[in-house]
Amino acid sequence: MIKLEYYLIVSTLMFFIGIFGFITRKSMIAILISLELVLNAVEINFAAFNRYLFPEQMEGMFFTIFGIAITAAETAVALAIIINAYRLIGDININDATKLKG
Amino acid sequence: MNILSLFVLIPVLMILFLFLSKEMKTIRTIMVAGASALLAVTAVLIVVFLKERAANPDAEMLLVQSWTWYKPLNIAMTLGVDGISVVMIALSSIIVFTGVFSSWNMNMAKEFFLWYCLLTIGVFGFFITIDLFSMFMFYEVALIPMYLLIGLWGTGKKEYSAMKLTLMLMGGSAFLMIGIIGIYFASGATTFNLLEIANNLHIPIEQQRWIFPATFLGFGVLGALFPFHTWSPDGHAAAPTSVSMLHAGVLMKLGGYGCFRVAIYLMPEAAHELGWIFLILTGISVVYGAFSAVVQTDLKYINAYSSVSHCGLVLFAILMLNQTAMTGAVMQMLSHGLMTALFFALIGLIYGRTHTRDIREMGGLMKIMPFASVCYVIAGLASLGLPGLSGFVAEMTIFVGAFQNTGVFYTVLTIVACCSIVITAVYILRTVGKILYGPIQDTHHIGLPDAAWYEKVSAVGLIVAIVFMGFYPFGISNIISESVLPIITKLSTVI
Amino acid sequence: MEYSILILITPFVLFLFLGLVGGKLKPNLAGIIGTLGMGFCSVLAYSIAYQYFFVIGKTADTWQSVIPFSFEWLRFTELLHIDLGILLDPISVMMLVVITTVSLMVHIYSLGYMHGEDGFQRYYAFLSLFSFSMLGLVVATNIFQMYIFWELVGVSSYSLIGFYYQKPSAVRASKKAFIVTRFADLGFLVGILILSYYTKTFDFAALTANNAELVTTSFAGGTFMGLSLVSWALALIFMGGAGKSAMFPLHIWLPDAMEGPTPVSALIHAATMVVAGVFLVARLFPVYIFGAPEVLTMIAYIGAFTALFAAVIAITQTDIKRVLAFSTISQIAYMMAALGVSGYGDHDGLGYMSSMFHLFTHAFFKALLFLGAGSVIHAVHSNEMKDMGGLHKYMKITSITFFIACLAIAGIPPFSGFFSKDEILAAAFHNQPLIFWTLWVVAGLTAFYMFRLYFGVFFNGKRDYHHKPHESGFTMALPLIILAVFSIFTGFIPFSEYISSDGKPFDMHIDMTVATLSVVAAIVGIAVAYVLYFKDSEKPAMLANRFKGLYTLSINKFYLDEVWLFVTKKVIFNCISRPIAWFDKQVIDGTMDNIANVTQKVSHRVRFLQSGHTQRYIAFFVMGAILIAIAVFIFV
């Protein structure tokens, strides 16, 4: 049987790749993807902890599904924002989106 | 329904009506009607107060009424007045009334008067409540509109001055807030009510040692205590006429009143112990303000520094901790409020016509605008303490009172403070001599119109009050000294 | 005697009336109303005097003081309160008569002199205010009431000196007068405070009763800088008196005060207000003599010195009003010196009596001199003696009345000045020989400079006048004649019957030695003046050259005005006020501004952390989280 640690290693890697991407990428799409990575890393953790530590309960799984749903919704909203931002400023570079800055 | 709540309700109603009004004429009608209503209510209040006083000669506060706001923290809205508050309310309503006439032709009048009414609420609210929390709240209500009133309608370096004034006063209220919270917890965290704290609870002396300076300093900043007075010259110089009037006339009195009612009353031991430090500061204020006024060239700066000197005298007298001096302090608040308002009204009038406040650019105005000039001379004479006008009775009560304290320290300080009457004469006569007398300096000034009717109403109203106080001091002084007595009794029990 | 309150109410009502609605009246009407009101006051004053001296009379052979009216005006403490009231005793009744008479004369005179001036109504309003304040001052029942009216006379004097408010010199003079006297009043106030702190009363009656017992017993014997506290208090109170009465070195305002209209100079700066200081010391005389005799001695020396000093200056002045002003200083100093050398009770109190006597006679002849000078100025439109001369021909009435006044002030018998001056000299002769000889010299100098003035103006060759000078009209001549009559006859009043230091009448007699000495001095003075000035000659210029140093000092008033300028301009402005203003602007305000600036700078720095870059936030967040994780890992 695969040990819990392996799941955690994968999710940690995903999490930090996501964080790294989030901090370093300039493209909003790339940032969004990085964000997905972070969220999915968390969801892997949820599912893994649920399965290994509390196999008779289902809360972790529910949270994972809940998280996936939220992520989907969030991606939709984020893409909509990005498209609008593109229409407004002509590209999707995060540093160019300064219209709201005082 | 308590008559005191009218003092807050009337300005609230005025604000509501102002929201609905559009034309200048309606706005003016609302303001005049409201201000007159306040005056009328004040008159009624004085009668009611005297009647109540005769009925309960021992009660410390009259017309007391309380509503709980927030039970867990014992915050209540408690109304109550004694002679001192009645006098201060009378002063405020006179100045609010005359201030309306002095800002007859304001730009954006509606907005101006909205803030003006809010300021009024704060001022009256502060004087009618005897609950520390509500006092603090109204205090803040009175301070905030100042920023906009000066920043938007002011002249000169208005943004800078508005910012400076607001920040310094807010700094003061930070101290004050610490002080008030300190009082609340040190007295056992059961009530914010002044009377209850003073009469039933006791603040341990160790706590008083830090709460007293915080509170005194907090109020002292508003009372232009040296060296926290520098907001006053800039602020007054930049403010529009009626705001200067209200600010120097009433708002600065909030400081003195607060020092007296909160700092000294609740912490008598600390007042005895630490009073001397502040006494030295106030002594400096008195002479320092007067000397600074001697070399100023801007009319408003002269008056602002003279306010520093006169308000210093208020705090000085309060710290003398005896009945005569404290009575004098309240009379000085009243007197200074009236004459400084008159000064600012007239400076506004002169500035509105000559477009300069520099005394070097004016001269011989007596010939051009005799009415305004005569009023200015009267204000000046009141300021330098001419008998028959208000300044004399107040100053003399203070000096005689201060001299009753035994000890070389007090005597020397009193004599130093007395010196201010000479310096006051120097700068008042210098100003009067420069701008009113002498040949006409600037030929463009020839033919400028004298005071218009609304400006006359404002000036005459204040002069009548000044003369009334100068001729009839015994009535006012009796009301005040009766109300000072509980504080004195409390002070004398702790020695 | 209750009606005596009217003597205060009438001028006050007149002031209010003329001040508020005077501008709408015709000038002449306003003047006539003012004059009639003052006439009414004079009638009242005379009737009060008659009633006081002849109807009420003495009790137990002593003049008692009467308080017909008094009420509490302002209460300070249980014991200290300001009462306003009327105190009638010999000196206050005498002052009432003097003030109302001179004031009435000035009112009448001004109808002509001030005719056609701008602000005629205002002038009469202020005259009424002045009369009110001065009358209130002399009838004060307590020292604080006196202080109140003291300030009021100060301000009416200020307003009247600055009557020609468009003239810069008048404005300066009025300012100077007010500030110098205010400075002196500071001493007065502090003196009152010290006195009342120990005695617990302001009341004159309580202070002076039983040989000032209260004062001598209540002071705890504290001393300050070698002088006892009671001496300090009384010396400070005298400082107030010295300011109003123009004693050296506080006299500098009086010559400048001549910028006011001449009748005002006659009323305020010659006859009434400037003797307030003398009156103050006289009022508190028992306190001085029993409480602090050393202060009284000091007063005597200051008086004698001022008398000599002012007389020396008067010799060289060329502005006729200034000559009279210095002469006034000198004569008031005479009265002060007389008070200073006086003893108490019976014939010892001769100095006190003679001081009051001289005050009384001086008021009339000095007012006459000023009004005469006004008449001359009115005729030739100049104040300078060089523009005058030979006027006797044109102005007979003025010349003769002026001559009478000069004889009176010079102390030639039987004119009034002789009697009062003689008593002063007699009092000094027996007590303080040094002061006697000083005053004797002053008497000679007085005669000299007065006749220098008289001969220089009315004789001494001819001048070419553009307009032929003419005698003044009836309203101006009448007061001159009346005052001349007073100047001749008031000396014959048996003054010691009515006024004495302890209220008990005593016999006064003319001391033949002293009288001879003083008359000789006066005659020598007049003779020298006759030789030098009756005809145009080179002699005065030669003398001036001979005594060049003294002459320069004298004509420049011993440079005291320059000292005054130095004190105000240099010391107050440049050494105190400017540094304070600078300190305020730079140090205190600078500190406040710097606190704000530092806050702003710090926040500018900190602001870059709040850049709006989400990525940076995340980076900080993650780093923070990692750091916390490490911290937890290590420490827990």
Side-chain angles (χ1 to χ4, degrees):
Chain A
M1 185 164 164
I2 305 164
K3 283 189 190 159
L4 175 60
E5 284 80 359
Y6 297 137
Y7 288 100
L8 293 187
I9 288 167
V10 170
S11 74
T12 310
L13 279 175
M14 269 173 75
F15 182 81
F16 281 103
I17 291 167
I19 293 282
F20 181 76
F22 190 90
I23 293 172
T24 51
R25 305 326 294 280
K26 293 293 169 217
S27 158
M28 290 189 202
I29 299 284
I31 290 171
L32 187 60
I33 292 169
S34 309
L35 194 64
E36 288 301 311
L37 279 177
V38 173
L39 286 168
N40 282 318
V42 175
E43 277 150 19
I44 290 171
N45 271 11
F46 271 127
F49 280 124
N50 187 274
R51 177 77 182 73
Y52 282 83
L53 299 182
F54 309 100
E56 69 282 4
Q57 289 172 344
M58 293 301 282
E59 276 93 338
M61 297 301 174
F62 290 156
F63 251 98
T64 310
I65 294 166
F66 197 66
I68 291 169
I70 294 285
T71 315
E74 176 241 307
T75 310
V77 174
L79 280 173
I81 291 173
I82 292 168
I83 290 166
N84 273 309
Y86 181 76
R87 283 193 189 141
L88 204 64
I89 59 180
D91 64 28
I92 52 170
N93 188 338
I94 188 89
N95 285 342
D96 294 338
T98 54
K99 278 257 152 90
L100 280 177
K101 209 169 160 184
Chain B
M1 184 70 187
N2 193 314
I3 181 172
L4 294 175
S5 46
L6 282 179
F7 284 105
V8 174
L9 284 181
I10 291 173
V12 170
L13 283 179
M14 282 155 79
I15 290 184
L16 289 180
F17 282 119
L18 279 177
F19 265 119
L20 301 175
S21 61
K22 279 200 185 65
E23 283 167 43
M24 195 68 186
K25 209 171 168 190
T26 350
I27 294 171
R28 282 177 186 158
T29 319
I30 292 167
M31 288 310 295
V32 172
S36 322
L38 282 171
L39 263 188
V41 175
T42 308
V44 175
L45 173 70
I46 291 171
V47 174
V48 170
F49 176 81
L50 290 176
K51 214 184 271 173
E52 287 271 315
R53 177 55 85 204
N56 328 294
D58 298 327
E60 212 171 300
M61 292 283 175
L62 297 171
L63 306 167
V64 177
Q65 198 167 8
S66 186
W67 295 277
T68 306
W69 266 11
Y70 187 59
K71 193 67 191 117
L73 287 179
N74 303 304
I75 293 175
M77 169 88 185
T78 313
L79 303 183
V81 284
D82 63 357
I84 303 165
S85 350
V86 168
V87 169
M88 298 319 289
I89 288 171
L91 169 70
S92 316
S93 51
I94 291 171
I95 293 178
V96 167
F97 180 78
T98 48
V100 169
F101 287 95
S102 282
S103 41
W104 202 247
N105 291 316
M106 268 289 163
N107 299 325
M108 300 191 286
K110 183 173 164 181
E111 291 78 5
F112 179 83
F113 282 124
L114 280 175
W115 292 114
Y116 187 84
C117 289
L118 193 61
L119 186 58
T120 312
I121 293 176
V123 167
F124 280 117
F126 185 81
F127 289 131
I128 60 173
T129 50
I130 51 171
D131 178 273
L132 285 175
F133 186 86
S134 356
M135 268 172 105
F136 184 72
M137 186 194 77
F138 282 117
Y139 181 84
E140 296 292 300
V141 168
L143 291 193
I144 310 284
M146 222 52 182
Y147 178 73
L148 291 162
L149 284 171
I150 297 176
L152 288 175
W153 286 272
T155 50
K157 297 189 293 181
K158 55 187 181 181
E159 290 86 2
Y160 166 78
S161 308
M163 185 64 94
K164 185 173 185 176
L165 181 140
T166 318
L167 285 182
M168 285 188 71
L169 296 184
M170 283 292 148
S173 43
F175 277 107
L176 186 56
M177 175 119 172
I178 296 169
I180 285 178
I181 294 171
I183 291 171
Y184 176 68
F185 285 105
S187 66
T190 50
T191 179
F192 273 109
N193 191 318
L194 266 176
L195 278 187
E196 280 176 35
I197 298 175
N199 295 336
N200 307 333
L201 304 168
H202 180 254
I203 304 173
I205 175 75
E206 297 77 29
Q207 310 277 355
Q208 288 192 17
R209 284 203 187 107
W210 67 268
I211 302 175
F212 176 76
T215 322
F216 199 90
L217 214 61
F219 281 118
V221 173
L222 190 53
L225 177 67
F226 175 87
F228 305 104
H229 63 273
T230 53
W231 56 268
S232 147
D234 286 321
H236 286 151
T241 305
S242 58
V243 175
S244 291
M245 286 167 73
L246 211 61
H247 195 258
V250 186
L251 225 59
M252 282 172 89
K253 308 299 165 296
L254 260 58
Y257 181 88
C259 285
F260 180 74
R261 171 97 350 124
V262 180
I264 306 262
Y265 188 33
L266 300 184
M267 288 160 286
E269 288 99 334
H272 277 298
E273 208 176 289
L274 305 173
W276 64 274
I277 303 173
F278 293 102
L279 202 52
I280 292 175
L281 288 182
T282 55
I284 296 175
S285 283
V286 173
V287 181
Y288 178 92
F291 271 120
S292 297
V294 170
V295 287
Q296 301 301 321
T297 49
D298 183 311
L299 280 178
K300 277 196 168 182
Y301 274 90
I302 293 172
N303 203 29
Y305 277 109
S306 116
S307 291
V308 171
S309 168
H310 283 123
C311 286
L313 209 51
V314 171
L315 297 179
F316 171 83
I318 289 174
L319 285 166
M320 281 292 171
L321 306 179
N322 71 48
Q323 193 178 4
T324 313
M326 284 196 174
T327 310
V330 180
M331 290 170 83
Q332 172 78 352
M333 287 196 232
L334 183 59
S335 150
H336 173 255
L338 293 171
M339 69 200 182
T340 206
L342 178 57
F343 263 127
F344 278 122
L346 294 167
I347 293 170
L349 188 162
I350 292 172
Y351 181 64
R353 287 165 175 65
T354 60
H355 302 290
T356 177
R357 286 196 309 254
D358 194 322
I359 59 171
R360 289 164 301 188
E361 293 170 13
M362 283 182 269
L365 292 186
M366 183 67 98
K367 200 87 198 159
I368 303 166
M369 9 183 154
F371 181 86
S373 304
V374 168
C375 294
Y376 199 94
V377 173
I378 291 174
L381 293 177
S383 181
L384 60 76
L386 181 74
L389 301 172
S390 63
F392 177 79
V393 285
E395 280 176 5
M396 289 308 132
T397 314
I398 290 176
F399 292 146
V400 172
F403 220 83
Q404 302 309 310
N405 278 13
T406 321
V408 178
F409 174 70
Y410 294 106
T411 311
V412 170
L413 265 181
T414 310
I415 292 175
V416 169
C418 284
C419 291
S420 72
I421 62 171
V422 180
I423 313 164
T424 310
V426 173
Y427 66 74
I428 294 289
L429 296 189
R430 168 176 176 260
T431 318
V432 167
K434 274 242 166 71
I435 68 166
L436 304 182
Y437 299 153
I440 293 168
Q441 186 98 11
D442 189 337
T443 42
H444 295 109
H445 294 168
I446 297 172
L448 288 175
D450 203 355
W453 71 268
Y454 44 85
E455 289 158 333
K456 282 187 180 166
V457 169
S458 166
V460 168
L462 288 166
I463 288 176
V464 166
I466 289 172
V467 171
F468 176 78
M469 186 178 163
F471 272 81
Y472 183 73
F474 43 98
I476 299 168
S477 135
N478 284 349
I479 292 182
I480 296 169
S481 65
E482 252 169 35
S483 309
V484 170
L485 204 56
I487 300 180
I488 298 299
T489 324
K490 189 140 193 292
L491 277 166
S492 58
T493 53
V494 301
I495 305 174
Chain C
M1 295 289 270
E2 278 71 27
Y3 67 87
S4 56
I5 185 68
L6 282 177
I7 204 166
L8 290 184
I9 292 176
T10 317
F12 186 66
V13 169
L14 274 178
F15 163 65
L16 287 184
F17 176 72
L18 293 175
L20 292 176
V21 299
K24 301 195 173 59
L25 299 178
K26 276 205 184 111
N28 271 339
L29 183 62
I32 287 166
I33 291 173
T35 312
L36 285 179
M38 207 55 233
F40 177 64
C41 283
S42 314
V43 172
L44 276 177
Y46 280 95
S47 104
I48 288 171
Y50 172 75
Q51 225 178 349
Y52 182 79
F53 285 119
F54 302 109
V55 178
I56 297 177
K58 291 177 284 233
T59 317
D61 203 32
T62 308
W63 297 105
Q64 304 291 342
S65 48
V66 183
I67 299 186
F69 178 84
S70 179
F71 73 97
E72 186 180 296
W73 187 61
L74 179 60
R75 172 176 289 261
F76 294 134
T77 65
E78 282 302 308
L79 295 166
L80 291 178
H81 42 84
I82 305 183
D83 291 357
L84 294 187
I86 289 181
L87 169 71
L88 297 179
D89 70 348
I91 56 172
S92 68
V93 172
M94 184 262 300
M95 288 299 285
L96 287 184
V97 171
V98 171
I99 294 163
T100 50
T101 311
V102 178
S103 185
L104 178 63
M105 291 306 125
V106 166
H107 271 77
I108 297 172
Y109 183 86
S110 302
L111 286 176
Y113 186 84
M114 298 297 287
H115 185 77
E117 292 275 358
D118 200 16
F120 193 76
Q121 299 94 328
R122 179 164 54 93
Y123 175 82
Y124 271 92
F126 282 132
L127 277 189
S128 301
L129 176 66
F130 172 76
S131 307
F132 161 72
S133 328
M134 194 63 210
L135 292 168
L137 193 156
V138 296
V139 297
T141 60
N142 59 72
I143 196 163
F144 227 108
Q145 183 186 353
M146 198 169 204
Y147 182 74
I148 289 174
F149 286 100
W150 192 271
E151 291 292 309
L152 283 173
V153 284
V155 87
S156 21
S157 153
Y158 167 76
S159 319
L160 284 167
I161 296 171
F163 179 74
Y164 300 114
Y165 61 82
Q166 290 201 300
K167 221 165 93 186
S169 59
V171 176
R172 265 203 304 279
S174 63
K175 199 163 70 178
K176 184 170 170 183
F178 195 90
I179 290 171
V180 173
T181 49
R182 199 80 212 270
F183 174 69
D185 292 351
L186 172 66
F188 190 12
L189 177 63
V190 175
I192 293 176
L193 290 177
I194 298 175
L195 194 64
S196 63
Y197 175 71
Y198 285 101
T199 59
K200 303 287 173 218
T201 183
F202 295 133
D203 199 32
F204 283 132
L207 284 171
T208 54
N210 297 331
N211 296 349
E213 196 182 12
L214 188 60
V215 179
T216 46
T217 54
S218 61
F219 275 84
T223 55
F224 179 64
M225 285 167 63
L227 263 182
S228 70
L229 281 175
V230 61
S231 303
W232 270 105
L234 292 175
L236 285 167
I237 290 177
F238 169 69
M239 179 178 158
K244 274 272 185 293
S245 287
M247 289 295 110
F248 178 85
L250 296 169
H251 67 274
I252 44 173
W253 62 271
L254 186 58
D256 288 13
M258 298 301 135
E259 289 289 343
T262 309
V264 167
S265 309
L267 174 60
I268 302 184
H269 307 115
T272 56
M273 186 188 83
V274 286
V275 295
V278 180
F279 181 78
L280 171 65
V281 177
R283 175 55 88 208
L284 286 171
F285 190 68
V287 180
Y288 273 97
I289 195 149
F290 295 109
E294 67 273 20
V295 176
L296 213 52
T297 315
M298 182 188 88
I299 292 175
Y301 281 100
I302 291 181
F305 176 72
T306 312
L308 181 64
F309 178 82
V312 170
I313 296 178
I315 291 175
T316 55
Q317 296 301 307
T318 54
D319 178 325
I320 58 170
K321 283 181 77 183
R322 280 182 194 250
V323 176
L324 293 178
F326 280 106
S327 144
T328 307
I329 296 175
S330 171
Q331 294 300 309
I332 294 165
Y334 238 84
M335 301 169 204
M336 277 290 188
L339 280 175
V341 298
S342 179
Y344 188 76
D346 203 32
H347 204 275
D348 287 342
L350 183 64
Y352 177 89
M353 187 285 294
S354 59
S355 170
M356 291 297 109
F357 195 10
H358 197 54
L359 192 162
F360 185 72
T361 54
H362 171 260
F364 298 115
F365 60 70
K366 189 46 75 58
L368 174 55
L369 285 171
F370 265 105
L371 294 186
S375 179
V376 171
I377 292 167
H378 200 64
V380 301
H381 303 289
S382 167
N383 280 5
E384 286 296 320
M385 272 169 75
K386 64 173 164 38
D387 300 330
M388 301 165 189
L391 286 173
H392 180 71
K393 214 166 40 186
Y394 306 105
M395 310 173 74
K396 283 269 173 357
I397 298 176
T398 309
S399 172
I400 290 166
T401 51
F402 204 89
F403 182 63
I404 291 169
C406 284
L407 288 175
I409 194 174
I412 300 294
F415 296 97
S416 62
F418 165 73
F419 295 94
S420 53
K421 200 178 263 190
D422 180 64
E423 296 301 326
I424 290 180
L425 289 169
F429 188 64
H430 295 297
N431 294 325
Q432 306 262 7
L434 176 64
I435 289 179
F436 167 75
W437 290 111
T438 317
L439 293 183
W440 180 75
V441 172
V442 174
L445 291 176
T446 309
F448 171 68
Y449 66 70
M450 282 321 298
F451 277 89
R452 164 180 175 260
L453 183 67
Y454 179 67
F455 293 140
V457 171
F458 291 99
F459 296 97
N460 194 349
K462 280 183 204 132
R463 298 278 184 282
D464 297 324
Y465 295 105
H466 289 302
H467 312 283
K468 204 170 146 212
H470 56 88
E471 185 56 82
S472 317
F474 173 71
T475 50
M476 284 166 74
L478 179 69
L480 293 181
I481 294 165
I482 296 174
L483 284 171
V485 172
F486 270 96
S487 302
I488 297 171
F489 293 110
T490 46
F492 294 106
I493 297 174
F495 227 66
S496 60
E497 282 301 310
Y498 303 113
I499 289 175
S500 63
S501 52
D502 54 355
K504 295 191 180 66
F506 66 96
D507 282 331
M508 71 172 175
H509 47 82
I510 291 173
D511 186 325
M512 277 331 274
T513 342
V514 176
T516 323
L517 278 171
S518 78
V519 172
V520 167
I523 288 174
V524 169
I526 295 171
V528 175
Y530 181 82
V531 173
L532 292 176
Y533 295 103
F534 190 73
K535 291 217 177 68
D536 212 354
S537 72
E538 295 299 312
K539 286 174 226 155
M542 269 162 55
L543 270 179
N545 259 330
R546 179 81 50 83
F547 301 100
K548 195 150 186 152
L550 190 63
Y551 179 78
T552 329
L553 276 179
S554 167
I555 203 162
N556 289 308
K557 302 160 216 155
F558 291 87
Y559 296 102
L560 275 175
D561 283 331
E562 281 70 20
V563 171
W564 151 260
L565 266 181
F566 177 78
V567 168
T568 51
K569 279 269 163 351
K570 291 273 153 41
V571 177
I572 294 185
F573 265 80
N574 290 346
C575 292
I576 303 180
S577 283
R578 279 190 209 288
I580 283 184
W582 178 87
F583 178 79
D584 195 62
K585 195 86 218 138
Q586 306 300 325
V587 179
I588 297 198
D589 208 20
T591 312
M592 296 300 165
D593 277 352
N594 272 333
I595 292 175
N597 284 342
V598 167
T599 316
Q600 204 176 15
K601 288 232 171 71
V602 170
S603 65
H604 263 296
R605 290 283 151 71
V606 175
R607 205 175 72 143
F608 291 107
L609 296 177
Q610 206 74 253
S611 58
H613 294 290
T614 329
Q615 290 172 316
R616 221 174 270 177
Y617 292 171
I618 295 288
F620 283 125
F621 169 71
V622 171
M623 278 191 276
I626 290 170
L627 282 177
I628 289 172
I630 293 170
V632 168
F633 190 73
I634 292 172
F635 295 111
V636 179

